[in-house]
């Protein structure tokens, strides 16, 4: 009986041990599964963290790249904005030099290129010192346009800063309006009496002596004449309106010293070479004789490209204003300038 009880107890203990082992194995499996899940979550979190970190780094790099690129482009754009200013300065400097020395250019475009390239070189050094950017630039062309008061300047530029580069031919419209007309002083440099102030030439006896040497009839009518110094474009267009209001438009034009488009007049660069006429589309102004109380007179046509030329032709007296017994006049050819400026009835 005792033995049977012991056997039964042994069986129970054995069964309990098996059940315990199963429970422990099950618990171990659950524990391992939890560890695997936790590990996977941790690995996923680490991967996600790495991805987020790399994305943030790449985004920061992209932002820095954009900032650097924008900074480079801003510098280049600022440089380009300076180019037409430099070119206009060069044109003005050449004009002043020609007038000061009373010596015409042999090749105004070549002289102008030399001046502008030197100015660009100075500007390039400034940009390198201030922005650490290397710029090479040079004027490669100057072209006449349909507007005789403006030229098309073309400048080649090449900019490098780090890994960024920029290369282009930049076109600029450069005006000669506001600059001094060198033509009278170049034509009359061998004659005494010519002077000028801030706005006009005063010829004294210089022009009449020049016209006398050219065999012009009534050359003395141009004693103490005057003409504009500063190039200003006439606003009265079409030009036939100069005859409106009984000549008041012409008077205002002459009082202001305006210049007019002309296929016969020389362009500004050719004036720098001492030419009264050229193959380009140019402009003209008039030489104003002294006021007079006489009428019906004839002398050289007063258009500047006629007077300062080798083909001087006559003009008849045109009275466009009278005050206190004195007439303000121009000498204009009957079938040319009188018609062009609406003065046929004067």
């Amino acid at each position: 009986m005792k033995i049977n009880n012991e056997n039964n107890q042994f069986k129970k203990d054995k069964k309990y041990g098996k059940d315990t082992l199963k429970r422990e194995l099950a618990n171990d499996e659950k524990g391992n599964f939890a560890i695997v899940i936790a590990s996977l979550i941790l690995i996923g979190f680490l991967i996600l963290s790495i991805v987020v970190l790399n994305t943030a780094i790449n985004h920061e790099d992209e932002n820095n790249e954009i900032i650097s690129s924008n900074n480079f482009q801003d510098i280049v754009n600022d440089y380009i904005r300076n180019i037409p200013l430099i070119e206009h300065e060069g044109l003005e400097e050449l004009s002043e030099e020609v007038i000061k020395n009373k010596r015409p250019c042999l090749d105004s475009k070549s002289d102008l290129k030399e001046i502008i390239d030197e100015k660009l070189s100075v500007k390039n050094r400034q940009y390198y010192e201030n922005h650490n950017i290397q710029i090479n630039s040079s004027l490669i062309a100057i072209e006449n346009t349909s507007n005789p008061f403006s030229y098309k300047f073309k400048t080649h530029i090449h900019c490098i800063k780090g890994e960024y580069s920029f290369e282009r031919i930049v076109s600029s419209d450069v005006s000669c309006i506001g600059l001094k007309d060198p033509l009278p002083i170049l034509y009359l440099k061998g004659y005494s009496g010519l002077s000028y102030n801030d706005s006009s030439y005063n010829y004294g006896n210089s022009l009449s002596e020049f016209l006398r040497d050219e065999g012009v009839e009534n050359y003395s009518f141009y004693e103490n004449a005057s003409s504009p110094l500063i190039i200003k474009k006439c606003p009265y267009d079409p030009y036939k309106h100069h005859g409106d209001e009984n000549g008041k438009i012409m008077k205002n034009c002459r009082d202001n010293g305006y210049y007019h488009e002309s296929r016969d007049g020389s362009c500004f660069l050719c004036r720098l070479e001492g030419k009264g006429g050229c193959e380009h589309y140019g402009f003209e102004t008039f030489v104003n004789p002294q006021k007079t109380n006489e009428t019906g007179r004839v002398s050289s046509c007063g258009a500047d490209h006629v007077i300062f030329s080798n083909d001087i032709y006559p003009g008849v007296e045109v009275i466009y204003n009278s005050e206190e017994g004195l007439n303000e006049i121009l000498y204009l050819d009957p079938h040319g300038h009188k018609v062009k400026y609406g003065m046929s009835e004067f």
Side-chain angles (χ1 to χ4, degrees), residues 85-295:
L85 302 178
I86 292 172
E87 291 166 340
H88 187 271
E89 287 176 4
L91 189 60
E92 182 176 18
E93 183 176 311
L94 183 58
S95 173
E96 294 288 345
E97 182 180 325
V98 166
I99 291 175
K100 178 182 177 181
N101 297 328
K102 299 181 181 180
R103 186 171 61 246
C105 299
L106 295 178
D107 184 341
S108 57
K109 289 185 178 181
S110 177
D111 292 343
L112 191 53
K113 173 178 169 54
E114 183 177 344
I115 292 173
I116 290 174
D117 280 354
E118 176 58 31
K119 289 181 176 293
L120 289 172
S121 180
V122 171
K123 182 64 68 174
N124 295 346
R125 289 195 294 270
Q126 292 175 354
Y127 269 72
Y128 181 77
E129 293 170 358
N130 296 333
H131 305 289
N132 194 31
I133 183 172
Q134 292 181 329
I135 302 177
N136 292 313
S137 55
S138 178
L139 180 67
I140 60 173
I142 304 173
E143 299 174 354
N144 291 74
T145 69
S146 58
N147 176 5
F149 297 97
S150 180
Y151 292 92
K152 181 75 70 177
F153 282 56
K154 294 184 178 181
T155 303
H156 175 262
I157 66 171
H158 187 204
C159 309
I160 300 176
K161 182 178 174 65
E163 61 183 7
Y164 300 104
S165 65
F166 178 91
E167 186 172 12
R168 179 180 295 176
I169 294 176
V170 177
S171 294
S172 307
D173 293 319
V174 180
S175 173
C176 64
I177 291 176
L179 302 185
K180 295 176 182 177
D181 183 358
L183 187 60
I185 205 166
L186 292 178
Y187 249 84
L188 301 176
K189 61 183 178 180
Y191 296 86
S192 61
L194 176 64
S195 63
Y196 59 89
N197 53 32
D198 292 339
S199 61
S200 63
Y201 283 105
N202 299 294
Y203 290 98
N205 294 325
S206 62
L207 182 55
S208 60
E209 291 178 1
F210 167 76
L211 294 175
R212 180 193 62 191
D213 291 347
E214 295 296 316
V216 173
E217 180 184 5
N218 298 323
Y219 59 84
S220 63
F221 292 173
Y222 278 100
E223 287 184 1
N224 297 315
S226 64
S227 69
L229 172 68
I230 306 299
I231 295 171
K232 294 182 285 186
K233 184 178 180 179
C234 183
Y236 301 117
D237 190 5
Y239 296 146
K240 63 182 180 181
H241 290 303
H242 281 65
D244 292 354
E245 300 181 29
N246 295 319
K248 289 183 179 179
I249 301 299
M250 177 62 85
K251 175 173 172 53
N252 184 268
C253 172
R254 301 322 311 137
D255 288 348
N256 285 282
Y258 290 135
Y259 284 69
H260 312 83
E261 296 185 19
S262 171
R263 296 194 179 279
D264 298 317
S266 55
C267 70
F268 186 73
L269 290 180
C270 287
R271 287 170 182 258
L272 291 173
E273 297 174 358
K275 299 175 182 176
C278 65
E279 68 273 20
H280 311 115
Y281 188 45
F283 46 78
E284 65 184 2
T285 191
F286 295 101
V287 176
N288 307 311
Q290 280 282 72
K291 295 178 182 179
T292 180
N293 55 10
E294 299 182 24
T295 60

Side-chain angles (χ1 to χ4, degrees), residues 7-57:
N7 288 335
N8 290 334
Q9 184 64 39
F10 175 78
K11 289 179 180 179
K12 289 179 180 180
D13 291 342
K14 186 176 180 180
K15 182 179 180 182
Y16 176 79
K18 288 181 179 179
D19 291 341
T20 300
L21 180 60
K22 288 180 179 179
R23 285 195 299 271
E24 289 178 353
L25 289 173
N27 289 335
D28 287 344
E29 288 177 357
K30 291 180 180 179
N32 290 337
F33 181 75
I35 291 172
V36 170
I37 294 299
S39 298
L40 291 175
I41 292 173
L42 180 60
I43 292 171
F45 178 77
L46 290 175
I47 292 173
L48 181 61
S49 298
I50 292 171
V51 170
V52 171
L53 181 60
N54 285 337
T55 300
I57 293 173

